[in-house]
Amino acid sequence: MEEEKMEGSIFDMINKRVILLDGGMGTELIKHGFPQGACPESWNVEKPEVVKEIHQSYYDAGSDVVLTNSFGGSSIKMASHGLEKRCYELNYAAAKIAIDVKPQGKFLAGSMGPTGKFLKPQGEYTEEQFEEAYTEQAKGLAEGGVDFLLIETQYDLKEALCALRGARKACDLPVFVTMTFNHYPRGFFTIMGNSVSQCIQELEENDVPVLGSNCTLNSEEMVDLVKIMRGLTSLPIIAQANAGKPSLSKEGEVSYSQGLEDYVRFLPQMVQNGANLIGGCCGTDPEYIKKMAEILRSERNQK
Ligand SMILES: [Zn+2]
């Protein structure tokens, strides 16, 4: 029974080869005229054709998995735009839009980013409130039809575990988790001070089947982090680096410091160090993904 369920699943593909995720969504929305400060998830209803076009461009570039436009879709994050009552609707729409363009044999992951708030005592929220906010989001994504959930860019292990419990309360889908780490002289830590080993240990203890890291680091730093993670776990590892650091021009345009060629040259080492699911993050676009697909293909052929 269990094995039957696995056939053709994301786990099935992970067992066969390195999987390519997609690149940045936020930066792509801005390219398409998304106004600063607005709620990105609102475009799932207001401009679904734009969101759909971005998903399509990633599948066309070679992504095996595309992430829904729901990064800020927890009800607590939605409340910062006064849209908390539309949490279910906008997450459900996020899934539906992407499913329209999902090719056969490819996957759709429901993106669940941080609430942007803090738990007590640093903040004013309880773990129960966080859990509830993620449950509502996960319900919308799951009922909209995503294949699995990706709790991503988490900088507080406690929040990640709330998200995990919340997601599991909402559905039976597999739930993957990525944490975001800063590179300090003494090593990699989240801004809340969680170490890599602490994150991996607690996520493993909570039966997370696939884990890893995304955002903040460039691809060179991510290569080192993957090596550390591989030394601590035998689970499949996700690695999604940013295209370096963002900077703001006088005209208000955001650009990233790591160009395409520099970004992708670390890819073979990332695979060698043990990454199983690789994708881009902030500052990467379909061109980056296309090049990454080529590199992964040629790596496969060399074996
Ligand atoms: Zn990022």
Side-chain angles (χ1 to χ4, degrees):
M1 183 75 186
E2 193 60 26
E3 256 169 50
E4 217 169 283
K5 211 172 123 193
M6 297 283 281
E7 189 61 36
S9 75
I10 184 69
F11 296 105
D12 206 37
M13 196 186 259
I14 292 171
N15 286 333
K16 285 186 189 136
R17 60 172 174 84
V18 174
I19 295 195
L20 185 58
L21 308 174
D22 65 3
M25 169 56 81
T27 34
E28 286 305 287
L29 286 173
I30 290 164
K31 269 189 215 164
H32 286 79
F34 180 76
Q36 215 153 41
C39 172
E41 288 73 23
S42 66
W43 272 26
N44 294 335
V45 169
E46 282 163 27
K47 298 215 179 212
E49 67 288 351
V50 173
V51 180
K52 205 180 276 192
E53 191 190 317
I54 296 169
H55 290 321
Q56 178 83 62
S57 66
Y58 278 124
Y59 281 125
D60 289 348
S63 293
D64 300 305
V65 178
V66 153
L67 271 63
T68 54
N69 178 37
S70 56
F71 180 82
S74 70
S75 57
I76 290 175
K77 183 76 181 173
M78 291 256 130
S80 63
H81 300 283
L83 293 172
E84 66 277 15
K85 291 212 168 67
R86 297 181 64 193
C87 173
Y88 178 88
E89 175 203 352
L90 294 175
N91 281 284
Y92 182 86
K96 283 287 175 213
I97 294 167
I99 282 173
D100 276 355
V101 293
K102 184 177 86 159
Q104 186 118 40
K106 303 277 175 152
F107 298 93
L108 177 64
S111 163
M112 297 172 70
T115 59
K117 302 289 180 191
F118 291 97
L119 288 165
K120 287 177 178 174
Q122 290 90 354
E124 52 186 271
Y125 287 87
T126 64
E127 294 199 13
E128 289 71 28
Q129 286 171 315
F130 267 20
E131 216 176 291
E132 208 176 296
Y134 282 108
T135 299
E136 207 180 342
Q137 175 178 27
K139 203 159 176 269
L141 292 169
E143 288 174 10
V146 300
D147 299 302
F148 63 93
L149 295 170
L150 177 57
I151 294 168
E152 58 173 346
T153 328
Q154 297 288 325
Y155 44 76
D156 181 358
L157 183 55
K158 271 197 196 139
E159 174 165 352
L161 295 173
C162 290
L164 183 64
R165 288 194 297 273
R168 283 175 173 165
K169 221 183 264 178
C171 65
D172 294 328
L173 294 175
V175 188
F176 302 174
V177 180
T178 52
M179 305 294 299
T180 194
F181 296 97
N182 282 72
H183 194 191
Y184 299 106
R186 61 193 176 100
F188 295 97
F189 294 87
T190 69
I191 56 166
M192 295 303 281
N194 306 125
S195 68
V196 181
S197 62
Q198 186 192 3
C199 290
I200 287 183
Q201 192 188 333
E202 289 201 34
L203 292 173
E204 274 196 357
E205 278 170 13
N206 284 278
D207 297 319
V208 172
V210 177
L211 48 76
S213 181
N214 75 318
C215 211
T216 314
L217 306 173
N218 65 32
S219 62
E220 185 175 12
E221 295 168 305
M222 191 58 87
V223 162
D224 295 336
L225 177 59
V226 167
K227 193 172 184 187
I228 293 168
M229 290 193 289
R230 185 42 82 216
L232 294 164
T233 184
S234 55
L235 289 177
I237 289 175
I238 301 173
Q240 294 181 274
N242 280 357
K245 297 251 179 295
S247 59
L248 204 61
S249 75
K250 274 183 199 144
E251 292 76 34
E253 266 176 44
V254 182
S255 63
Y256 284 79
S257 60
Q258 204 177 19
L260 194 157
E261 291 303 325
D262 187 47
Y263 183 90
V264 300
R265 74 192 171 95
F266 296 99
L267 209 59
Q269 192 62 48
M270 212 179 280
V271 173
Q272 231 166 57
N273 285 1
N276 304 86
L277 300 94
I278 297 181
C281 201
C282 308
T284 63
D285 62 18
E287 287 304 309
Y288 281 67
I289 296 301
K290 200 172 159 196
K291 188 73 197 175
M292 290 162 81
E294 278 169 27
I295 293 171
L296 291 180
R297 225 174 288 131
S298 72
E299 290 276 302
R300 267 206 295 283
N301 293 338
Q302 278 169 27
K303 272 178 198 160

